[in-house]
Amino acid sequence: MPTLSPTSLLIPTVAPGFALVKIKYSCIEPSDRANSIGAFPKTIFSRIPGRDYSGTVIELKQDSGARRSEWIGKTVYGTGGAELGFNIDGPHAQYCLIPENMLIEKPDTISLLQEQSQMTLFLFWVVLVLGASGAVGSAAVQLAQATGCRRILTATRNKDENPDVLLKGDIDTELQTKLPSLTDGKGVDVVVDTIGNLDIMNTAIHALAIKGRYAWITALKGGVPMKLSLDIFEAYRKEIELVGCNTGLATTENTAEEMKILTHLFKQNLIHPQAESSMNLVDLDDAIEKGYKTSLNKKQTVLTMD
C-alpha cells in the first residue's frame, strides 16, 4: 500500500503542452484520500495527489509569444479529470504542471478559495438531489435552478435544513409517501445521488418517471454489498436510464468544456460558490496530519500553499 510523506522537490520543468501553475489552493477530496491509499488501480506511483486547484500561470511552453502573453499571469482554476493525481502529478504542491488545454481563467465573481467545489448536472423538469446539503449536492441544486428545472426536490439527513424528504428512520416509507405527492404522481425525471446507499437507490429508482434518469456520483464504501436489485420489466416499461458519473474518466477536453460552462454560469451569477467560512484551511506542511488523516466533516478541507 502506498504511503504519504512530505517531500521537497525542484519546481517542475515546463514541457510542451503544459503550463506551470503556482498553486494557491487545492481541495482534499474523498477521491484524493482513496487514491493516496491505492484505491485506484490506474494510479502510477510515486505520485503527488490532488485534482482540484486554483492558482496563477507563471510559464507556458509555447513558440507563440501571443499565446504565452495570453496566459502568463492569469488566475486559473479547474479539476483534473482522468489525469491529475493519477498518471501525472496533482496540485497538492506549490507548483503543478497543468495540461494547456485545461486552462480556464477564473471569473472575477468568485475568489480563489471559493472556487473549490462545483460540478455538472443534466437538464430535466423535476430533479431529486440525494444529499442536497453536501458540497456536490448543493452544487447540483444550484445547477438545476440555473438551467431552469421546473422543480428541485431536496433530500438530506438533517431535518433543520427543511428538506422535502428526510433521510432518517424508515427512509423507504418516507420516499414512497412523499415523492408521489411532490411530483403529482408522475415521478422524478432525474435523481442525482451524491450519497451512495443501495437501499435508498432501490427506492429512488422505483420513483423515477417515464424516461427518468438516475445519476450517481459516489461509490459505496466500507465493504457493503455492491449489487443492485433491479426490476428490469419496470425499467423496460418506463425506459429509465442509470448513469454512473465517474469524474476520473473525464478527458482534459471534457473537463475544460465543463469548466467553461460553469465559468459562464458564475459570470452570470446563476450559480454561487460556497462561503469561505464553510472551508477548513490547512497549510501544505500539515496536509497529512490535518488533512488526509482527519475524518470527513461538513467543512471542506482546502490546502493553502502560502
Side-chain angles (χ1 to χ4, degrees), residues 134-154:
V136 177
S138 59
V141 169
Q142 287 197 64
L143 285 163
Q145 294 168 338
T147 51
C149 292
R150 179 166 59 88
R151 187 165 191 187
I152 300 98
L153 305 176
T154 60

Side-chain angles (χ1 to χ4, degrees), residues 181-204:
S181 61
L182 291 170
T183 62
D184 298 324
K186 296 178 181 178
V188 178
D189 295 303
V190 171
V191 175
V192 179
D193 183 355
T194 72
I195 297 176
N197 178 295
L198 277 183
D199 292 333
I200 296 175
M201 192 174 188
N202 271 312
T203 305

Side-chain angles (χ1 to χ4, degrees), residues 57-121:
V57 177
I58 62 172
E59 187 55 272
L60 196 68
K61 192 77 171 182
Q62 266 284 346
D63 294 332
S64 168
R67 180 69 172 166
R68 291 182 76 252
S69 298
E70 177 187 356
W71 282 109
I72 290 178
K74 291 289 179 66
T75 301
V76 295
Y77 74 138
T79 186
E83 298 190 6
L84 287 184
F86 296 114
N87 56 25
I88 59 177
D89 285 332
H92 287 178
Q94 292 174 311
Y95 295 88
C96 184
L97 293 177
I98 303 295
E100 185 181 341
N101 59 3
M102 287 179 62
L103 294 178
I104 300 292
E105 187 174 1
K106 181 193 73 66
D108 294 333
T109 51
I110 59 174
S111 72
L112 276 170
L113 177 55
Q114 287 175 320
E115 173 277 326
Q116 293 293 305
S117 66
Q118 306 298 325
M119 292 284 170
T120 56
L121 184 64

Side-chain angles (χ1 to χ4, degrees), residues 15-281:
F18 288 84
L20 179 61
V21 175
K22 188 177 190 302
I23 303 299
K24 177 69 173 177
Y25 296 110
S26 182
C27 279
I28 298 179
E29 300 287 4
S31 59
D32 297 323
R33 295 170 186 262
N35 195 25
S36 72
I37 58 173
F40 292 87
K42 70 177 182 178
T43 303
I44 302 170
F45 294 102
S46 58
R47 180 67 57 218
I48 297 173
R51 301 174 70 195
D52 300 348
Y53 62 89
S54 55
T56 305
V57 177
I58 62 172
E59 187 55 272
L60 196 68
K61 192 77 171 182
Q62 266 284 346
D63 294 332
S64 168
R67 180 69 172 166
R68 291 182 76 252
S69 298
E70 177 187 356
W71 282 109
I72 290 178
K74 291 289 179 66
T75 301
V76 295
Y77 74 138
T79 186
E83 298 190 6
L84 287 184
F86 296 114
N87 56 25
I88 59 177
D89 285 332
H92 287 178
Q94 292 174 311
Y95 295 88
C96 184
L97 293 177
I98 303 295
E100 185 181 341
N101 59 3
M102 287 179 62
L103 294 178
I104 300 292
E105 187 174 1
K106 181 193 73 66
D108 294 333
T109 51
I110 59 174
S111 72
L112 276 170
L113 177 55
Q114 287 175 320
E115 173 277 326
Q116 293 293 305
S117 66
Q118 306 298 325
M119 292 284 170
T120 56
L121 184 64
F122 304 98
L123 172 60
F124 281 89
W125 286 109
V126 179
V127 175
L128 169 65
V129 181
L130 300 175
S133 61
V136 177
S138 59
V141 169
Q142 287 197 64
L143 285 163
Q145 294 168 338
T147 51
C149 292
R150 179 166 59 88
R151 187 165 191 187
I152 300 98
L153 305 176
T154 60
T156 72
R157 295 185 174 97
N158 187 353
K159 66 178 181 180
D160 294 336
E161 292 164 350
N162 196 28
D164 295 290
V165 178
L166 182 63
L167 299 177
K168 270 190 175 181
D170 189 347
I171 297 174
D172 282 356
T173 300
E174 175 79 357
L175 286 167
Q176 291 171 9
T177 302
K178 292 284 186 68
L179 291 180
S181 61
L182 291 170
T183 62
D184 298 324
K186 296 178 181 178
V188 178
D189 295 303
V190 171
V191 175
V192 179
D193 183 355
T194 72
I195 297 176
N197 178 295
L198 277 183
D199 292 333
I200 296 175
M201 192 174 188
N202 271 312
T203 305
I205 287 174
H206 183 69
L208 285 171
I210 300 295
K211 297 185 181 295
R213 180 177 294 185
Y214 192 104
W216 68 102
I217 192 167
T218 185
L220 301 175
K221 303 174 183 68
V224 299
M226 298 286 180
K227 292 186 177 180
L228 177 69
S229 176
L230 179 66
D231 184 335
I232 60 171
F233 184 68
E234 180 187 35
Y236 150 73
R237 290 286 298 271
K238 294 168 69 174
E239 294 189 4
I240 65 170
E241 296 181 52
L242 304 181
V243 183
C245 300
N246 180 4
T247 58
L249 294 179
T251 65
T252 55
E253 291 80 9
N254 296 151
T255 302
E257 286 305 312
E258 291 178 357
M259 290 303 301
K260 287 176 183 177
I261 294 170
L262 289 177
T263 299
H264 172 75
L265 295 174
F266 277 126
K267 287 180 176 179
Q268 299 297 316
N269 285 317
L270 294 173
I271 60 174
H272 306 279
Q274 288 181 299
E276 292 186 1
S277 59
S278 69
M279 302 174 194
N280 178 37
L281 288 179

